[in-house]
Amino acid sequence: MQFRILGKTGLEVSLVSLGSGGPSQLGQNTGLTENDQDSLVRRALDLGVNFIDTSEGYGDSETILGRALVGIPRDSYSLATKCFYKMPDGRIRDPKELALSIDRSLQKLRTDCIDVMQFHVLNSQDYLEVIDRLYPVMDAARQKGKIRFIGFSEQFKVEPDHRVVTMALENHPQLWDTVMLK
């Protein structure tokens, strides 16, 4: 297995990672049993995968991973998850709700610390409001030891020119430990 340093985190992660989104969502949409899901996660780890990516928006993926990772030494893998910054009605999430979302992810994942917490599908139109209203919540969670690093994934379907990535790296490079490109 090949490894690389992830962004500015210093984490050495496998070049191949285990994602829990996409059409299957760890077998949620393809009929895998809990045993099959657990075996899939454990097999990936046995093969040397040490980076696992999920999101609160991937159905029950956080819960599945929390269950599948029971008994696996926490220092043998890095865990990234994503949270929505925007509500389905289009408004930016309330800071208190974001804090609760981080706690829900910790509970579902059965861990006391998420390695990388990311704002999911951020776009340039919302970027400054997210920095002003929600980034401080993420930073507070980091200071409390609930998360280690902060990042975001871009909304490529809306901005295929990577506009938010350019905006973030030109204006606030010190804030971001990772950026997930699509």
Side-chain angles (χ1 to χ4, degrees), residues 1-168:
M1 183 66 65
Q2 294 180 343
F3 296 87
R4 64 175 170 225
I5 301 300
L6 180 65
K8 296 189 304 186
T9 68
L11 298 172
E12 190 173 356
V13 299
S14 51
L15 188 59
V16 175
S17 63
L18 177 64
S20 63
S24 171
Q25 295 188 354
L26 283 177
Q28 293 176 77
N29 300 328
T30 57
L32 288 186
T33 66
E34 287 185 4
N35 263 353
D36 293 337
Q37 293 166 335
D38 294 352
S39 294
L40 173 68
V41 172
R42 290 171 180 258
R43 181 68 178 138
L45 294 169
D46 289 344
L47 291 170
V49 170
N50 76 346
F51 187 71
I52 302 169
D53 176 71
T54 190
S55 170
E56 71 175 339
Y58 296 165
D60 292 325
S61 292
E62 288 181 328
T63 301
I64 293 166
L65 287 167
R67 182 191 68 236
L69 293 168
V70 167
I72 305 294
R74 184 60 180 87
D75 63 353
S76 68
Y77 61 89
S78 294
L79 192 56
T81 193
K82 296 178 282 302
C83 60
F84 291 117
Y85 71 90
K86 205 172 202 177
M87 302 302 289
D89 65 7
R91 64 186 168 80
I92 302 296
R93 199 173 204 173
D94 179 82
K96 290 179 184 174
E97 172 54 32
L98 178 61
L100 290 172
S101 170
I102 293 168
D103 288 341
R104 277 193 302 271
S105 289
L106 286 163
Q107 182 180 16
K108 289 177 182 180
L109 290 164
R110 299 185 191 188
T111 188
D112 58 357
C113 182
I114 295 165
D115 295 301
V116 182
M117 178 61 86
Q118 302 164 95
F119 291 105
H120 201 32
V121 294
L122 187 59
N123 67 48
S124 62
Q125 181 180 359
D126 300 324
Y127 178 79
L128 292 175
E129 188 172 356
V130 168
I131 293 298
D132 290 341
R133 293 187 64 216
L134 300 181
Y135 189 91
V137 175
M138 286 274 212
D139 195 41
R142 177 173 34 198
Q143 291 175 25
K144 291 177 185 173
K146 294 179 179 185
I147 62 176
R148 294 177 62 197
F149 304 104
I150 300 172
F152 68 88
S153 67
E154 66 177 335
Q155 194 171 11
F156 183 74
K157 288 182 181 178
V158 174
E159 297 179 347
D161 59 357
H162 308 289
R163 195 173 322 149
V164 73
V165 175
T166 301
M167 182 183 233

